[in-house]
Amino acid sequence: MEFPVSCYEAGEVAHVRLGFTVGRNGRPKKVVPYASDVRFADRVLVAVAASPDWQPALREGRSREEIVSLVLRIRLVDTAPEGAEPRLRAEDHTVYLRADTMPTYRGGGPDRWLAELKERERGEGRYIVGLAIERDGSVGETIVYDTDDTTYVAAIERIVTEMPRWTPAVLQGEPVRFSVMFPVGLDRSGAAELAELEEGTYSVPMVAPKFGGGGLPEFRQWLMRHIRYPERAMRYGIEGRMLVDFVVERDGRMDRIVIRESPHPDLAAVAWEALREAPHWEPARIGGRTVRVKYTLPVLFSVPAMPVQQPDEDRRTWQLNRPKL
């Protein structure tokens, strides 16, 4: 996919969920994209329309329709030669958990990385450290779970950026972004060890938070059932997407709730009231220990089509504050 430089910038990242039906003739139809940025949804629609035909699904020798769902995480990169006009293309920005060739650090694995960590960090405690290893072997993101010590977290993040690069993971002959996560134990002398980690293992299985027997989809359903659409928003046909950040704490309660984006203050207010009354979750676990997990939840508000009244002050305010497409 190519993106015009007049509307997009290099480095932009988008998460896209795409659903469509492959018809009996192999052509995609009923395409429904959802993206963290609606501009990317439009470009995905164009790309799907221009894509080659699929090999249709078969049942008892006869072609049939098949529903396909894809999850994409893309990042825009400038592929133009130096000095030429910018040319933005999408590259896969997915973080993988499995690969044909696992990432290595100076010819070794996580134990070698930890041996160097202990030489640089003289701390104490047991933490969960997660790294996103980029295609070039650099560490793009460091997350330290299971601690509220901001000083320690800042020290770990600084040290990781100063350490040599990894040899990246390879999937189907191409380097890919890869997530490694492991518990780290540090004693007073700075001796580091892989806590409860088998040799050659790169990730500690996470048991995700649960809500109502499920996860984030079940919580979204609960939230929409408990939100009463504001009368004024119904009257003016105000709808759109809301983004909500929150943390599921170790005891299962929701904390640090932030409504980051909303089509209108009235919608934000009713969502906030519902979020405050939400039941506790079953917390996440890594290696048998409960950990905190941060979520960003997109919520779509829509009302039935109806004539829109002439704008008053509230309506004009909404139009001014509505995100630009």
Side-chain angles (χ1 to χ4, degrees):
M1 289 186 289
E2 293 194 4
F3 294 78
V5 295
S6 58
C7 302
Y8 302 85
E9 296 181 0
E12 289 193 72
V13 175
H15 183 249
V16 182
R17 292 200 300 271
L18 180 65
F20 57 91
T21 300
V22 177
R24 293 185 177 91
N25 61 356
R27 289 300 300 159
K29 61 181 182 178
K30 301 178 183 178
V31 183
V32 180
Y34 170 77
S36 55
D37 187 324
V38 293
R39 299 173 304 146
F40 286 84
D42 294 339
R43 300 302 298 182
V44 169
L45 279 173
V46 172
V48 173
S51 65
D53 290 352
W54 288 59
Q55 179 71 37
L58 298 177
R59 177 179 292 173
E60 298 179 353
R62 302 179 62 182
S63 62
R64 63 182 180 88
E65 294 187 346
E66 183 78 10
I67 297 176
V68 177
S69 297
L70 299 175
V71 178
L72 309 173
R73 187 169 178 83
I74 58 178
R75 180 175 181 268
L76 299 188
V77 295
D78 185 359
T79 59
E82 186 176 353
E85 289 293 326
R87 185 179 182 183
L88 298 181
R89 298 184 66 89
E91 70 172 12
D92 182 17
H93 202 58
T94 305
V95 179
Y96 291 88
L97 298 177
R98 292 183 175 87
D100 299 330
T101 303
M102 302 293 274
T104 59
Y105 184 80
R106 292 190 169 184
D111 49 352
R112 178 159 296 184
W113 183 85
L114 280 170
E116 185 164 332
L117 177 67
K118 76 175 183 178
E119 298 175 358
R120 298 168 177 257
E121 168 59 19
R122 299 292 174 177
E124 180 182 6
R126 297 171 70 86
Y127 310 99
I128 306 293
V129 177
L131 308 177
I133 301 174
E134 302 290 343
R135 292 182 182 84
D136 61 0
S138 63
V139 176
E141 184 178 15
T142 304
I143 302 177
V144 182
Y145 298 92
D146 213 16
T147 179
D148 294 317
D149 188 343
T150 57
T151 301
Y152 178 82
V153 171
I156 290 293
E157 290 176 344
R158 175 183 55 79
I159 290 171
V160 169
T161 59
E162 296 172 350
M163 295 173 70
R165 296 189 177 193
W166 292 63
T167 299
V170 176
L171 180 63
Q172 297 179 355
E174 297 290 335
V176 295
R177 303 179 76 222
F178 196 87
S179 174
V180 295
M181 185 180 298
F182 31 75
V184 178
L186 292 171
D187 60 23
R188 293 184 182 276
S189 65
E193 61 177 1
L194 278 176
E196 303 172 3
L197 186 64
E198 297 178 359
E199 183 178 358
T201 302
Y202 283 77
S203 295
V204 177
M206 171 186 280
V207 179
K210 295 181 180 179
F211 184 91
L216 207 55
E218 286 71 22
F219 177 70
R220 182 187 288 107
Q221 294 173 9
W222 178 93
L223 181 61
M224 298 310 295
R225 286 197 306 267
H226 289 78
I227 289 179
R228 183 175 180 180
Y229 220 104
E231 181 181 347
R232 181 165 53 180
M234 289 282 290
R235 187 167 67 248
Y236 293 138
I238 299 173
E239 58 185 15
R241 184 191 66 166
M242 176 183 296
L243 283 181
V244 180
D245 291 343
F246 62 90
V247 173
V248 178
E249 295 286 351
R250 297 183 185 91
D251 58 3
R253 62 187 172 86
M254 290 176 56
D255 194 14
R256 303 189 185 185
I257 301 171
V258 177
I259 297 179
R260 194 150 49 89
E261 178 182 312
S262 177
H264 192 276
D266 286 3
L267 295 178
V270 294
W272 176 257
E273 290 299 322
L275 289 164
R276 289 176 56 189
E277 301 299 325
H280 282 202
W281 293 57
E282 182 179 333
R285 293 180 177 274
I286 296 180
R289 304 171 62 190
T290 57
V291 295
R292 305 161 67 228
V293 173
K294 180 180 178 181
Y295 278 125
T296 297
L297 176 69
V299 181
L300 298 179
F301 288 88
S302 60
V303 295
M306 62 181 67
V308 178
Q309 297 185 14
Q310 291 297 319
D312 59 11
E313 183 178 352
D314 291 321
R315 177 64 175 174
R316 286 194 297 271
T317 299
W318 170 71
Q319 288 178 326
L320 290 172
N321 292 338
R322 191 178 187 186
K324 300 292 191 300
L325 301 184

